[in-house]
Amino acid sequence: SLTSLDLSTFNVETVSDMTGMFYYCGNLKEINTTGWDTSNVGNFSYMFYHCWGLEKLDLSHFDTSSATTFYYMFWFCRNITELNVSGWDTSSATAFRHMFNSLYSLKKLDLSSFSCESLSLGSDRINNMDAMMNQLGALEELWLGEYFGSDPDHPCVSSAFVGDVAHTSANNRTATCNTTGTLVIHCTQDVADWCARTALRWVNSGWRGADTEIEKAVPVSFLDLTTGKELFVTWREN
């Protein structure tokens, strides 16, 4: 039944693992972690798992430079409307699986500082990005940095937006189709081209699985991360 928690005086400078720290604190509405030194934390998995009472969470002060694992970190924080992870250094990260999955109320997500350069190649890379941003039903704006993964050999964008890419039919689509209005992505031209070739083409045009009705099409547009000018892409047909 805990609704508020002030941990601003905690000294966490030697902590290396915060896995499941607020796991299932469903009624928690306020968490104060101001002043934390998280520079030695390697694992943030499940930290805010099922914290559905949270509506606003500012973690921009977290030092994530040593972090390798973010599995399910914000899974099913369904009422969060504002989540600030801007400035995070994920250059050491190797696992983002389901990190932002099921944040149904989130409208904006700034991942412009996120890097996926440390992820392994091949299927491990895809698995470790699996459904990172699936079920973002209210998403209207997204920022993706140049190192998020636009290299065709590193298909991070595709796996981040869909569930297991080995699945077909209704499972192989992104639930950002439920977004109201349009989806604007601030990124580089390379990332925009990759989005248009992979998962986001199903958002832009709608997607019909073998046993499902067609999903609502949500127009996706791209703006240059630096200049704000519109980026043009050629959408791959479904």
Side-chain angles (χ1 to χ4, degrees), residues 2 13 16-17 22-23 37 44 60 78 82 85 96 101 104 112 125 146 156-157 169 171 184 192 199 216 220-221 236:
L2 192 67
E13 63 182 16
S16 60
D17 194 339
F22 305 104
Y23 187 92
D37 178 359
F44 288 101
S60 57
R78 64 189 184 194
E82 297 180 22
V85 293
F96 298 98
N101 199 335
Y104 299 127
S112 57
R125 172 182 283 267
E146 61 179 318
C156 295
V157 173
S169 184
N171 293 322
V184 179
K216 175 184 176 183
V220 181
S221 60
R236 176 182 171 186

Side-chain angles (χ1 to χ4, degrees), residues 39-216:
S39 58
N40 287 312
V41 178
N43 195 341
F44 288 101
S45 297
Y46 298 91
M47 187 173 184
F48 300 96
Y49 186 89
H50 274 253
C51 287
W52 51 69
L54 292 175
E55 296 181 0
K56 297 181 181 180
L57 191 59
D58 186 350
L59 301 178
S60 57
H61 57 282
F62 273 24
D63 183 341
T64 58
S65 57
S66 297
T68 60
T69 310
F70 296 95
Y71 280 153
Y72 294 86
M73 185 174 183
F74 304 103
W75 168 274
F76 207 60
C77 290
R78 64 189 184 194
N79 291 312
I80 280 187
T81 58
E82 297 180 22
L83 177 62
N84 189 350
V85 293
S86 61
W88 278 19
D89 177 357
T90 65
S91 57
S92 298
T94 57
F96 298 98
R97 188 181 179 95
H98 294 281
M99 183 177 182
F100 302 104
N101 199 335
S102 300
L103 273 64
Y104 299 127
S105 303
L106 191 66
K107 293 186 176 182
K108 298 181 180 181
L109 184 58
D110 185 352
L111 305 182
S112 57
S113 66
F114 275 49
S115 167
C116 304
E117 297 302 294
S118 292
L119 270 70
S120 58
L121 298 175
S123 60
D124 286 343
R125 172 182 283 267
I126 294 175
N127 290 336
N128 286 333
M129 291 289 290
D130 185 35
M132 178 185 182
M133 289 176 278
N134 202 19
Q135 303 284 349
L136 300 183
L139 193 66
E140 296 176 355
E141 285 192 87
L142 174 67
W143 285 260
L144 299 177
E146 61 179 318
Y147 299 111
F148 188 80
S150 57
D151 188 323
D153 293 327
H154 306 157
C156 295
V157 173
S158 177
S159 52
F161 275 95
V162 297
D164 185 354
V165 293
H167 291 176
T168 57
S169 184
N171 293 322
N172 196 10
R173 65 176 188 272
T174 165
T176 46
C177 295
N178 297 323
T179 303
T180 56
T182 60
L183 176 59
V184 179
I185 300 180
H186 306 260
C187 60
T188 64
Q189 184 67 59
D190 286 344
V191 172
D193 289 338
W194 187 248
C195 287
R197 292 197 303 270
T198 57
L200 285 180
R201 72 182 191 272
W202 295 316
V203 180
N204 188 66
S205 61
W207 169 257
R208 184 187 296 278
D211 303 311
T212 63
E213 296 182 0
I214 193 166
E215 290 288 324
K216 175 184 176 183

Side-chain angles (χ1 to χ4, degrees), residues 7-18 21 33 35-41 62:
L7 304 178
S8 56
T9 61
F10 272 31
N11 183 348
V12 298
E13 63 182 16
T14 61
V15 175
S16 60
D17 194 339
M18 291 187 171
M21 191 169 184
T33 59
W36 277 18
D37 178 359
T38 60
S39 58
N40 287 312
V41 178
F62 273 24

